[in-house]
Amino acid sequence: MTVAITLVMLAATAWGQSTLEVPVQFDFLNPGARSLGLGGAFVAVADDATAALVNPAGLIELTRPEVSVEGRLRRFEQPMLVSGRLSGRPSGQGEDIVSGPVFANVSNWWVAPTFVSYVRPMGRWRVAAFRHELLHFNQDFSSRGLFQDHGLETRGTAFSAHRNIAIATYGGAVAVQLPHLRLGADLLVQHFTLGFDFTRYVHQTFYGAPDPAQQVFHYTQTGDDTGVGAVVAATVPLPRATFGISYKRGARFGLSSFSGGLAGTQARTASAFKVPDTVATGVSSYVTQRLLISTEYTFVRHSQLLDPYVLDMVNTGETASRLNRFSIANAHEVHAGIEYLLPIKARPALRAGAWFDPDHSVHYTPTAANDLIDERLSASLGSGRNLWHYAFGTMAAVSPRVDVSAAVDHSARSTIVSASLVWHF
């Protein structure tokens, strides 16, 4: 037993310092039940109060003061590698009984009011104020340690982790009507909070259960910062159609990291989290007076999360010399939606849409050596996938001044339920 524990301790010292076995993938979604029901194809529609963030130029469509409130329920799952044997044959002893990696889903449920805005028309100008809950994750992670055999039986350390991250956006928007063109802009003040706690520990025996009392590495990230972003946008009315374009620059936030390992080794670093910039462009058209079709292409610079936020987590121990092996792909999203207004007194609408959500998780490119680190990180960071989202929604006027909308967006790894109320003064 002493020899087995020693092997594990040596493995922990040599290559057990990275924290990037915890999944890193965040989604930054626009507000509004109408937008959600249209599959996110909203930059060219943008004719309600949520346009204040999505495309402020669309606020020109509003001719009366308007208040909008939205709440969402969100489920999101991320697969993570929790146990199993990556190489060699299982011994059949203790926990070494499964050949191949074993994954489990880390779930995040969130129910909250996510958007509120006020819009006021002023001649050919529009002004708006809003608050949006851009991001909110509260997740627990754990792994029991992986078995590997590259000429020597090794077992990776077990770990447990907790991450709580939230970004709230407060903004002011302005739009102006020009001949044949509408322009809009936002100033975004975004508040960021982060708490990430990660602990590695060894096992009671080589093949036995993890022992949380035998800690060999501890890593934390903490952040509480405010940053500034902006949006610039335009819409162009066309014959029977509208063209919209919007550029959103996300804020950058400071955070601090602490890592401590065996033999009293410690390190403190300053790092940062960058909200990805996005560019969205699209066309919407009323094919008939009651049928709307909308399309949108959105480019999201998810790669901005890599340096320094992600690289800070791997710039210790085993992976410090392999920073160039990690990557996050930018996303090229495609959205499409339709809306049909029923010829009934309450002005109900039916909506449907779909959109393509490319894989934007962290990936690792193995070295030519294909060693223990390559094998483990390739398996840990290989569960990202492209997703298709399908959306449905509805709207009804409960009074001449109040509209209520609801929508559902579903993919293999997430479900969002949205309900919103719009009050026209």
Side-chain angles (χ1 to χ4, degrees):
M1 182 177 74
T2 303
V3 173
I5 291 179
T6 301
L7 286 174
V8 176
M9 295 289 280
L10 288 172
T13 305
W15 54 268
Q17 306 294 301
S18 171
T19 67
L20 208 59
E21 291 168 69
V22 172
V24 176
Q25 178 173 323
F26 302 121
D27 293 330
F28 303 88
L29 302 177
N30 285 324
R34 190 181 185 198
S35 173
L36 195 72
L38 289 170
F42 198 64
V43 71
V45 179
D47 59 357
D48 64 21
T50 59
L53 179 59
V54 180
N55 180 352
L59 295 173
I60 294 298
E61 292 287 340
L62 305 183
T63 59
R64 293 183 295 174
E66 185 173 297
V67 171
S68 177
V69 178
E70 180 196 18
R72 285 189 177 183
L73 178 151
R74 185 175 186 269
R75 174 196 65 85
F76 181 70
E77 292 183 346
Q78 291 177 287
M80 70 168 291
L81 185 58
V82 296
S83 62
R85 174 174 281 276
L86 301 183
S87 53
R89 300 182 63 180
S91 65
Q93 302 180 55
E95 299 197 348
D96 185 22
I97 57 175
V98 178
S99 178
V102 177
F103 288 85
N105 281 327
V106 177
S107 297
N108 180 76
W109 288 85
W110 174 44
V111 181
T114 53
F115 186 79
V116 59
S117 66
Y118 170 72
V119 182
R120 183 176 180 83
M122 302 173 63
R124 65 190 184 99
W125 294 83
R126 304 290 185 270
V127 293
F130 59 90
R131 181 191 186 277
H132 177 227
E133 195 81 8
L134 176 65
L135 187 69
H136 194 117
F137 280 87
N138 192 358
Q139 300 166 305
D140 290 295
F141 311 86
S142 64
S143 171
R144 302 185 68 81
L146 305 169
F147 293 96
Q148 296 176 269
D149 186 353
H150 280 219
L152 175 68
E153 277 292 291
T154 59
R155 185 180 186 186
T157 51
F159 68 79
S160 62
H162 175 79
R163 179 170 61 208
N164 183 26
I165 182 171
I167 299 175
T169 300
Y170 302 85
V174 61
V176 61
Q177 172 71 67
L178 301 176
H180 313 297
L181 179 66
R182 299 162 179 175
L183 299 177
D186 286 350
L187 177 66
L188 309 177
V189 178
Q190 299 183 299
H191 184 70
F192 167 84
T193 57
L194 169 67
F196 178 58
D197 190 272
F198 180 98
T199 303
R200 285 194 181 276
Y201 41 88
V202 294
H203 306 83
Q204 298 171 359
T205 64
F206 186 80
Y207 296 109
D211 184 358
Q214 298 191 58
Q215 297 183 7
V216 294
F217 178 71
H218 187 224
Y219 176 87
T220 62
Q221 285 182 324
T222 56
D224 188 349
D225 195 16
T226 299
V228 177
V231 180
V232 291
T235 60
V236 182
L238 303 171
R240 301 182 63 84
T242 301
F243 169 79
I245 185 169
S246 175
Y247 167 71
K248 186 185 303 177
R249 183 186 182 280
R252 183 182 180 92
F253 309 105
L255 60 94
S256 60
S257 302
F258 167 83
S259 59
L262 296 174
T265 57
Q266 295 185 352
R268 296 182 183 274
T269 60
S271 187
F273 184 102
K274 174 70 173 70
V275 178
D277 299 339
T278 63
V279 178
T281 183
V283 176
S284 66
S285 175
Y286 275 98
V287 179
T288 70
Q289 288 186 338
R290 298 187 179 278
L291 178 62
L292 171 70
I293 296 178
S294 183
T295 60
E296 179 175 322
Y297 162 77
T298 305
F299 175 71
V300 187
R301 293 189 63 191
H302 288 291
S303 61
Q304 292 178 314
L305 289 168
L306 184 66
D307 188 8
Y309 174 65
V310 170
L311 294 187
D312 179 74
M313 291 190 282
V314 298
N315 194 20
T316 55
E318 57 168 2
T319 51
S321 63
R322 306 190 185 202
L323 300 186
N324 64 339
R325 317 302 296 183
F326 297 90
S327 63
I328 304 176
N330 294 320
H332 300 269
E333 301 174 359
V334 179
H335 305 253
I338 61 173
E339 177 183 79
Y340 183 72
L341 301 176
L342 298 173
I344 303 175
K345 183 178 180 180
R347 309 192 314 277
L350 300 178
R351 298 161 183 153
W355 63 284
F356 177 64
D357 182 12
D359 177 18
H360 49 276
S361 60
V362 181
H363 283 267
Y364 175 79
T365 302
T367 67
N370 194 28
D371 57 16
L372 290 168
I373 302 171
D374 291 320
E375 182 178 71
R376 179 169 53 83
L377 289 176
S378 295
S380 298
L381 302 178
S383 63
R385 56 180 289 195
N386 298 332
L387 297 172
W388 276 98
H389 293 245
Y390 301 95
F392 303 92
T394 185
M395 183 274 289
V398 298
S399 78
R401 293 188 175 185
V402 178
D403 297 335
V404 176
S405 294
V408 176
D409 177 294
H410 179 74
S411 76
R413 292 185 175 176
S414 67
T415 301
I416 300 173
V417 180
S418 170
S420 65
L421 179 146
V422 177
W423 177 26
H424 313 276
F425 286 67

